[in-house]
Amino acid sequence: MLPFTVHPVGDSALLAVFTQRIAPEIGAAVAALNTRVLFANISGVDETVPAFASLMVTYDPLVTDYDAVAAAVQKLADAPDADSTAENGKLVTIPVCYGGEFGPDLPFVARHAGLTEQEVIALHTGRDYRIYMLGFLPGFPYLGGLDERLFTPRLDTPRTAIPAGSVGIGGEQTGIYPIASPGGWQLIGRTPLKLFDPAAGTLPYAAGDRIRFTPITKAEFNALAQKEGAV
């Protein structure tokens, strides 16, 4: 497993910090360590929070302490087969209607890339994306693996309202707004799926999983939205 350092976070958490950059091998190492910690059932550990290049592990200080949890995490990482748990996670397919009212920034992304809108769609749907972390909003997936030709700067002035399900590009990443919110990413499409259930707090994916976007027509969008109860 790639090397990392461990630091205390308050009196009830620690942070395993890898090299601070966004890269597939670092994301895989974080996912591998996260899987190991989750399946190890370390006494007193409550939760894990994976990010781009770090893993936070929270624990109950009345049950255990920093030294014990840090030692357990390091032991898991030092195991001979530690990298074998760096699996791809489950694959979640997200249908997206691109362009038009659903993706108002698709023309700009295409012009910025020197491509046609259909070429942008083909590139965006032509690969799987690893979920590096969830953040910003409940269930917002920061996805790695965007084709370099689609790298597009964020909006100079963020929008005050973005519809739930909007799919955007921000710099070197792509992601999905699971709920309505402000935001500054370039919107290229929208999914009709209701990704986040506030009442249940559930999502169809987690950090370490993969997302595959599939293009759908406006008619298919409307039919799925009606089925999802989003209209």
Side-chain angles (χ1 to χ4, degrees), residues 97-111:
C97 187
Y98 288 89
E101 63 186 286
F102 301 119
D105 300 320
L106 179 60
F108 174 81
V109 172
R111 289 195 304 272

Side-chain angles (χ1 to χ4, degrees), residues 59-222:
Y59 54 86
D60 184 346
L62 298 179
V63 176
T64 188
D65 58 27
Y66 169 81
D67 289 337
V69 177
V73 169
Q74 190 63 63
K75 183 177 180 180
L76 292 172
D78 291 340
D81 59 342
D83 288 328
S84 67
T85 55
E87 301 174 353
N88 287 326
K90 67 178 180 290
L91 178 63
V92 179
T93 300
I94 304 292
V96 178
C97 187
Y98 288 89
E101 63 186 286
F102 301 119
D105 300 320
L106 179 60
F108 174 81
V109 172
R111 289 195 304 272
H112 185 270
L115 301 169
T116 67
E117 293 181 20
Q118 285 303 315
E119 287 172 330
V120 170
I121 295 170
L123 287 174
H124 195 255
T125 58
R127 58 179 60 190
D128 298 342
Y129 301 89
R130 176 184 289 277
I131 303 176
Y132 280 123
M133 62 174 288
L134 304 176
F136 168 56
L137 297 169
F140 187 103
Y142 286 89
L143 306 177
L146 183 66
D147 190 294
E148 291 184 3
R149 288 169 286 181
L150 299 184
F151 290 0
T152 312
R154 292 169 172 78
L155 298 174
D156 292 333
T157 303
R159 291 181 171 92
T160 58
I162 290 177
S166 293
V167 176
I169 292 175
E172 301 179 6
Q173 292 186 276
T174 186
I176 313 168
Y177 291 81
I179 60 176
S181 78
W185 289 29
Q186 305 279 356
L187 305 183
I188 61 173
R190 193 187 310 167
T191 179
L193 301 183
K194 294 178 69 174
L195 299 176
F196 177 63
D197 182 348
T202 56
L203 289 164
Y205 48 71
D209 288 341
R210 293 168 296 139
I211 282 182
R212 177 180 299 166
F213 295 108
T214 58
I216 59 174
T217 65
K218 184 176 180 179
E220 291 172 322
F221 179 98
N222 290 334

